[in-house]
Amino acid sequence: MALEAYSTSQNTDKIHTDVLSQARISCYKARDAFYSCMEKESSKKPTEIATVGLLYPVECKKTREEYVKQCRPTWVKHFDRQYCAKKRVQRLLDDTESRRGV
């Protein structure tokens, strides 16, 4: 009897890769929806504050909430940092081209 209880407890520790994969995919979809909303609404004034100083327009608040709900907090912070870094580099590249007189 104790052996049966031990063997069933072993099964509960099994990692379900399909569940992890689905969670990751839903996180990526929510992330992409939020960042595409930010790109689409880029002409509007950003009033909401996210992690790492990321500002976004109020129109993207629902997609941001879904993104935060679907993803781990560390992932959200990581993706926000990546987005900010990408935008910073793009801004620098755009400034360099305008200074060259191109």
Side-chain angles (χ1 to χ4, degrees), residues 2-3 16 57 66:
L3 185 58
H16 299 281
E66 185 65 24

Side-chain angles (χ1 to χ4, degrees), residues 36-51:
S36 68
C37 177
M38 281 188 55
E39 294 296 323
K40 186 175 74 174
E41 304 291 343
S42 64
S43 62
K44 297 188 175 150
K45 184 177 179 179
T47 57
E48 305 298 314
I49 300 173
T51 58

Side-chain angles (χ1 to χ4, degrees), residues 27-39 60 63-64 66-67:
C27 172
Y28 292 159
K29 284 181 181 178
R31 175 200 63 187
D32 294 343
F34 172 67
Y35 290 127
S36 68
C37 177
M38 281 188 55
E39 294 296 323
C60 299
T63 54
R64 176 70 186 190
E66 185 65 24
Y67 168 46

